[in-house]
């Protein structure tokens, strides 16, 4: 039976509300815009000799100042905006900028390029719907400004206007910039956000595996330490049972002590029967570590075949490797993926030699989709078809299993490769027995293997767990 997903990892979703924008961030950006607008209007009017509607321009700038002051008065500094509130804030900025451009020449004003800013900010922080709305409004505004605006004029009455062809080119450049920059910014932001969430899920998975390993070590160490006193209690109570055979009032109590000692032994044995989880056993043979990783998926109706052999003329003794949590959890995710998509069998092959340790997992399923082979290991990637006799109907993963496995194994020094055992487009009768997906993991021996002097060191006594 498959292990249940970690509830903490299921909280990692693409649409998590963690990307809400702080009001303070937008207010700071607006103050910078107001400062720039004020300086520009003053310089153009007083030093460049252009006639502009100073009253209306400062009215538009003052509207931005008033809105900032109201927001700073009403809301706390750490106020976070919902998607709708942030969209309305950027819509106000877009409208205010468009009004300023209307007063200062429309598309004849080179500062019309700044209309890209609110849409780009929306693309990096808000939802697709809000970004599309602001982008449409920006294109509408820039289109209207091409025809409706107050012309720029000098003090002697000369009107400054670009040729129609240049205005058309400027309008087209801004429209393309709105579409391209918004799409580019959104794509980069989404990928960064997805990678951040996937790495967080990886850290949670590794922390969970580390806690389970530590818990198993504590239980195993407790069983080891309590073994001697429990054996003594059992021995003494057995002798007392024989000596108190003629005193039934005491015999019953002594027998109860012996039975409870047996019960304590059985409880400790059942809790720590996986002695391999002992914190002092930080290493184990390659096959033991692989079987430990695959154990939760061994009873899910899929046959798992193991084959561990040396490469060439190497020693038949399996290499002793470190039992790192990232290795166990990474291999466990790979085994789960193979079992999930296998028709009925999974093969796990281990080889060692020439300074390398290799693991190869093959299933008899449909294999990886050819168009996704180059992207396997990316977060939130799904698309592999499940077998018809799905052992878990209704199950839909988050697309993080292979990413977590690849990230954890590469952290241990491994190289992970994904491939297909046969052409997915061949007929079933033309494929071999091992016809599904292949995952190959290889480590340099020094990355996970124990050197001779390390393997010969004694384990030493159990040390107290710091609290």
């Amino acid at each position: 039976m498959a292990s249940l997903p970690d509830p903490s990892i299921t909280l990692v979703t693409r649409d998590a509300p963690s990307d809400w924008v702080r009001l303070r961030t937008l207010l700071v950006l607006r103050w910078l815009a107001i400062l720039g607008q004020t300086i520009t209007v003053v310089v153009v009017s007083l030093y460049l000799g252009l006639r502009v509607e100073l009253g209306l321009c400062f009215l538009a700038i003052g509207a931005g100042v008033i809105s900032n002051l109201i927001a700073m008065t009403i809301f706390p500094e750490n106020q976070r905006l919902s998607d709708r509130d942030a969209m309305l804030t950027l819509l106000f900025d877009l409208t205010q900028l468009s009004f300023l451009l209307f007063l200062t020449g429309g598309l004849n004003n080179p500062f019309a390029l700044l209309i890209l800013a609110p849409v780009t900010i929306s693309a990096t922080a808000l939802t697709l719907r809000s970004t599309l709305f602001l982008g449409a409004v920006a294109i509408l505004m820039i289109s209207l400004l091409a025809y409706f605006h107050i012309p720029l004029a000098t003090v002697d009455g000369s009107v400054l206007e670009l040729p129609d062809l240049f205005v058309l080119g400027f309008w087209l450049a801004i429209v393309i910039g709105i579409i391209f920059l918004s799409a580019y910014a959104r794509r980069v932001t989404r990928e960064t956000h997805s990678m951040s969430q996937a790495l967080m899920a990886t850290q949670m998975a590794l922390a969970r595996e580390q806690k389970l390993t530590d818990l198993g070590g504590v239980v195993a160490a407790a069983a080891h330490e309590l073994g001697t006193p429990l054996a003594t209690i059992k021995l003494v109570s057995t002798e007392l049972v024989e000596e108190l055979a003629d005193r039934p009032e005491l015999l019953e109590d002594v027998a109860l002590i012996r039975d409870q000692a047996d019960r304590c032994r059985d409880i400790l044995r059942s809790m720590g029967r996986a002695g391999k989880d002992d914190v002092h056993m930080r290493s184990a043979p390659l096959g033991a570590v692989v079987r430990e990783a695959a154990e939760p998926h061994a009873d899910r109706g899929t046959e798992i075949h193991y084959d561990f052999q040396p490469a060439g003329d190497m020693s038949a003794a399996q290499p002793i490797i470190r039992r790192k949590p990232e290795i166990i959890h990474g291999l466990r995710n790979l085994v789960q993926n193979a079992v999930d998509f296998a028709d009925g069998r999974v093969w796990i092959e281990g080889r060692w030699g020439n300074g390398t340790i290799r693991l190869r997992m093959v299933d008899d399923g449909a294999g990886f989709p050819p168009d996704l082979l180059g992207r396997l290991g990316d977060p939130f990637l799904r698309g592999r078809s499940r077998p018809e006799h799905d052992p878990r109907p209704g199950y839909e993963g988050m697309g993080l299993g292979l990413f977590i496995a690849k990230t954890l194994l590469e952290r241990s020094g491994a190289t992970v490769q994904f491939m297909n055992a046969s052409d997915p487009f061949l007929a079933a009768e033309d494929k071999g027995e091992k016809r599904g997906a292949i995952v190959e993991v290889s480590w340099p021996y020094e990355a996970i293997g124990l050197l001779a002097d390390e393997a010969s060191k004694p384990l030493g006594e159990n040390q107290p767990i710091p609290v």
Side-chain angles (χ1 to χ4, degrees):
M1 183 176 179
S3 57
L4 294 175
D6 189 348
S8 59
I9 294 181
T10 59
L11 295 175
V12 182
T13 61
R14 292 193 187 190
D15 298 323
S18 59
D19 55 354
W20 287 351
V21 182
R22 282 200 313 166
L23 176 62
R24 180 182 177 84
T25 302
L26 295 183
L27 294 184
V28 170
L29 292 176
R30 186 179 290 171
W31 281 125
L32 293 176
I34 290 172
L35 178 62
Q37 292 167 0
T38 304
I39 294 175
T40 302
V41 169
V42 171
V43 170
V44 165
S45 177
L46 300 182
Y47 296 98
L48 297 184
L50 298 180
R51 291 192 309 182
V52 294
E53 299 290 341
L54 285 178
L56 293 176
C57 287
F58 283 116
L59 176 64
I61 296 174
V65 174
I66 293 174
S67 65
N68 260 19
L69 293 177
I70 293 176
M72 293 174 62
T73 304
I74 296 177
F75 301 104
E77 290 189 3
N78 60 350
Q79 174 74 22
R80 291 190 177 272
L81 300 177
S82 65
D83 178 79
R84 177 178 175 274
D85 294 337
M87 185 270 292
L88 292 176
T89 302
L90 292 175
L91 181 61
F92 173 84
D93 294 335
L94 186 61
T95 305
Q96 187 252 11
L97 177 60
S98 298
F99 182 61
L100 271 178
L101 292 174
F102 168 78
L103 297 173
T104 54
L107 290 188
N108 296 287
N109 187 337
F111 289 99
L113 189 66
L114 294 176
I115 207 164
L116 294 170
V119 186
T120 305
I121 293 174
S122 174
T124 60
L126 305 185
T127 62
L128 179 60
R129 182 175 61 181
S130 297
T131 302
L132 291 176
F133 175 74
L134 288 175
V137 172
I139 293 175
L140 176 62
M141 292 289 188
I142 210 69
S143 300
L144 293 175
L145 288 172
Y147 296 99
F148 306 103
H149 57 268
I150 298 176
L152 281 175
T154 61
V155 291
D156 58 3
S158 301
V159 176
L160 302 178
E161 282 190 343
L162 293 173
D164 291 342
L165 184 61
F166 281 85
V167 173
L168 176 62
F170 195 23
W171 174 86
L172 188 60
I174 293 178
V175 171
I176 293 176
I178 290 174
I179 297 173
F180 175 76
L181 290 180
S182 300
Y184 183 80
R186 181 169 183 81
R187 178 66 181 270
V188 172
T189 302
R190 291 298 92 185
E191 288 187 357
T192 303
H193 182 63
S194 296
M195 183 63 69
S196 175
Q197 288 185 310
L199 289 175
M200 181 175 64
T202 303
Q203 292 296 328
M204 288 191 292
L206 181 59
R208 179 176 179 272
E209 187 67 31
Q210 183 66 59
K211 289 179 180 179
L212 291 176
T213 301
D214 292 343
L215 180 60
V218 171
V219 173
H224 176 74
E225 295 290 347
L226 293 175
T228 300
L230 285 176
T232 303
I233 295 174
K234 174 70 182 298
L235 177 62
V236 173
S237 60
T238 301
E239 293 178 353
L240 287 175
V241 167
E242 297 176 355
E243 294 178 4
L244 298 175
D246 55 343
R247 302 183 63 181
E249 69 279 1
L250 298 178
L251 180 61
E252 183 178 350
D253 293 338
V254 174
L256 179 61
I257 293 175
R258 181 186 61 184
D259 294 340
Q260 293 303 308
D262 289 338
R263 185 183 177 193
C264 290
R265 179 199 61 194
D266 295 338
I267 291 174
L268 289 173
R269 181 179 299 172
S270 63
M271 292 176 62
R273 67 168 181 259
K276 58 199 174 195
D277 282 338
D278 192 337
V279 71
H280 299 292
M281 296 182 64
R282 301 185 182 275
S283 60
L286 173 64
V289 174
V290 174
R291 290 175 186 272
E292 176 184 357
E295 183 179 4
H297 307 288
D299 299 325
R300 296 179 52 198
T302 299
E303 299 178 17
I304 301 180
H305 304 275
Y306 301 93
D307 180 18
F308 299 98
Q309 296 181 16
D313 56 354
M314 297 296 297
S315 171
Q318 295 185 14
I320 306 298
I321 66 173
R322 297 179 177 87
R323 289 184 58 257
K324 296 181 178 180
E326 52 263 45
I327 295 178
I328 296 175
H329 194 81
L331 293 178
R332 183 168 296 161
N333 275 17
L334 292 181
V335 173
Q336 177 180 350
N337 184 76
V339 171
D340 281 346
F341 296 97
D343 285 338
R345 283 177 291 183
V346 173
W347 293 265
I348 302 179
E349 304 168 353
R351 300 291 184 267
W352 56 91
N354 299 322
T356 304
I357 299 174
R358 286 188 177 86
L359 277 179
R360 184 183 175 96
M361 298 184 190
V362 190
D363 61 64
D364 59 350
F368 294 118
D371 59 317
L372 296 182
L373 272 177
R375 298 175 54 201
L376 291 175
D378 288 350
F380 302 106
L381 180 65
R382 289 172 286 191
R384 191 176 176 191
S385 58
R386 302 182 60 79
E388 295 180 0
H389 54 283
D390 189 349
R392 290 190 300 172
Y395 168 81
E396 183 177 358
M398 296 173 57
L400 286 175
L402 289 182
F403 171 81
I404 292 177
K406 187 172 184 290
T407 302
L408 292 180
L409 292 173
E410 287 179 346
R411 177 174 174 173
S412 71
T415 300
V416 184
Q417 294 180 315
F418 303 97
M419 63 197 82
N420 284 321
S422 63
D423 191 338
F425 299 105
L426 291 176
E429 57 271 13
D430 296 329
K431 298 180 181 180
E433 186 180 34
K434 301 177 182 179
R435 58 181 180 271
I438 298 178
V439 181
E440 188 169 283
V441 187
S442 60
W443 294 269
Y445 186 86
E446 59 271 14
I448 61 170
L450 292 188
L451 302 178
D453 57 340
E454 292 179 303
S456 61
K457 288 182 180 179
L459 295 178
E461 298 181 358
N462 291 330
Q463 299 297 320
I465 305 296
V467 179

